[in-house]
Amino acid sequence: MAGWLRELDAPDLKDVLALRRDAADTRPRSLRALADELSTAASLRLAVDGLDHGCRDVLDAVLALGGLAEPVGVDALAESLRCNGKAGRAELKRALGELRARALVWPVGDAVSAAPNLRPCSAEPPRRITPAPRTPRRVVQNGVFADRAASAFATSTVDGVARLVDLCDGEVVSARGGVGVRELRRIAALLRADEARTRLWLELAVEARLLAPADCDRRVVPTTRSDSWRGAPPPDRLAALARAWPRMVWQPGKSRPALADPLSCGDITRRGLLERYARLGEDEAFEHRHEVVAELSWSRPAYQGRVVTEAALVEAETVGLVALGALTALGRAVLAGRESEVADRFVPPAVTTALLRPDLTAVVGGLPDDELSAVLDLAADAAEGGWRFTGASVRRALDAGHSPDRLLARLASIAEHGVPQSVERLVREVARRQGRISVTAVASCVCTDDPELLTEIAGHRSLTPLSLQLLGPTVLASAKPADETLALLRAAGYAPTADGVVDRTPRRRVEPPPRKIPAWRRWRASLTDQELTKLAVALLERERPRPRIVPPRVESRRLNTVRLLRDQSLVLRDSEVMLLAEALVTRTSVEIAVADGPRTTIRHVITPVDHAAGNLTANGPHGEQREFLVGHIRSVRPVEQGFG
């Protein structure tokens, strides 16, 4: 390979360095060192992963014909890939050009040789070159339509991630090697969402540093950043999620536990999708999404695939980056790093009130703020299109320590048109049943004013683990702690209140963990195009013999004069020595200051004519010839400038 690199000119070598930046970023000192870097397994992997399907087929054919051991003839290669027609030959020529530009193969006469350490991309050698799919067709479409369509999806994503963060703050979400499918389905049921969206919300929250797996107890908990994110305006929340989506490394569309496989290349898949849509004009859209998926799957098969790319496209639509076959303004802003500037166009401002309906539902016309979410999540269950009040949800609020009047007051503070009578009756009815039984934490006793009810509880089969004993007409003793007694009573269908029982699950916050970068990813800053050009020229110059440059005679005399004057004067500056030497060579006039005693100097305008043995011979203004000791000259100035 080093021999072939020596035959390249600077532009061709610069093109190789541009396509193999990982090798160029090591700044090799010679072409031999560059060839060694280009032949490493990690560098070859990056180069092969950037090939399209046709180039990979040609590369596999070269390796199958023994390209590592000896050069493979182009005619034999064409015959093995059945490139008999004009179109087949043209495609073969294109693929070989791409491989040569990446230094994976290079010409050896009428044959090609492959880089060492290469491995086939497929188990079976190809029989033909996979043709490129049809170029995706485009249609004219106003970009405003895509932004409007994406607004609902973006709003839903921000709301879903917020509800997920709140859920992880109160529920134990198990994460052992990732969040398993069963646990993911449980979370999806609690959030009233499907499994795919719940997985996306979870991985978005982790990538945005809102949630993190806690290694000590193997659960997902909110981070220290989650509180500030929850209190931020909706546009800022959307901007954080949109910024995080292209960085997610988890492979989309893959059946796996959520948050597993953290060192995958899903970020390359997602960003490649956005960059393909970014090639559209402002008022253009792709007519058929399957054509885009097919093109990406052919052009980057190492990172894209029909299932993977389709799943990434669905994710982009869910976040609001793609809609109606076009890249939204938010998607373009994410690529440019300006998502905060346009996020307010995709989510409405936070609302503080909700419409409480007589059918026991609550509807919010936008994204709820913290207080509104807290009240609705406390007293109602999430449902399709909003929230729904049920006996269980109201009982949950009363179990948290709210009295009926206080709960109704909180509902009235967030109700847009007041609390309907149906909701108030539900709260009163649940509260009436709620107080018939109480559990005391200190003695773990079950107390009630109804002796018949107490007798019923004592004989209930599902409460046998409590080992209930009658202490009095209205008191039962339990063998279990108060929180376990409460749980079993509620599971049996009763509605006890908790006297002195506190929530033992502390709310935790963890620091966001640092991002993990795979070892094969580049960590150095990439060289610029100008630096690549300089590197290519420098590498070629080091390999070629330099002609000996003989300076002109006048230039040699000037350099010799400068060296002599420098050795004979310890006072003059370098610029003054060069000025005096120039005047001596070109016979021009200068002004010099010559020492006359320990502290005085005398100025002379002279034209130097000769220099020998430390003496400077010069002509005065009137033609008289004088000599000066170089060691006595204190300064030199051009004639047009005076001494000062």
Side-chain angles (χ1 to χ4, degrees), residues 281-352:
E282 293 287 345
D283 294 325
E284 286 185 333
F286 288 123
E287 186 175 5
H288 301 292
R289 63 189 294 147
H290 70 271
E291 294 179 350
V292 184
V293 173
E295 184 194 44
L296 285 172
S297 301
W298 181 85
S299 60
R300 298 293 294 275
Y303 304 115
Q304 306 283 354
R306 293 188 180 273
V307 176
V308 171
T309 306
E310 178 64 33
L313 183 54
V314 171
E315 288 184 359
E317 292 172 338
T318 304
V319 181
L321 307 180
V322 176
L324 302 181
L327 194 66
T328 64
L330 181 61
R332 296 183 184 277
V334 167
L335 289 176
R338 298 182 292 103
E339 56 278 344
S340 299
E341 300 176 8
V342 300
D344 57 345
R345 293 156 49 182
F346 291 84
V347 287
V351 295
T352 59

Side-chain angles (χ1 to χ4, degrees), residues 416-481:
E416 187 174 350
H417 300 295
V419 180
Q421 291 184 356
S422 57
V423 176
E424 184 175 356
R425 284 197 301 268
L426 176 64
V427 173
R428 297 293 183 188
E429 177 62 24
V430 173
R432 185 182 64 82
R433 300 193 307 266
Q434 188 82 359
R436 297 179 66 187
I437 306 173
S438 64
V439 175
T440 303
V442 176
S444 188
C445 295
V446 181
C447 306
T448 179
D449 295 333
D450 188 347
E452 295 182 359
L453 179 59
L454 201 67
T455 303
E456 177 187 335
I457 293 174
H460 204 291
R461 291 185 178 181
S462 63
L463 299 178
T464 303
L466 296 179
S467 300
L468 296 173
Q469 296 180 2
L470 188 64
L471 298 181
T474 59
V475 181
L476 284 174
S478 173
K480 298 292 184 180

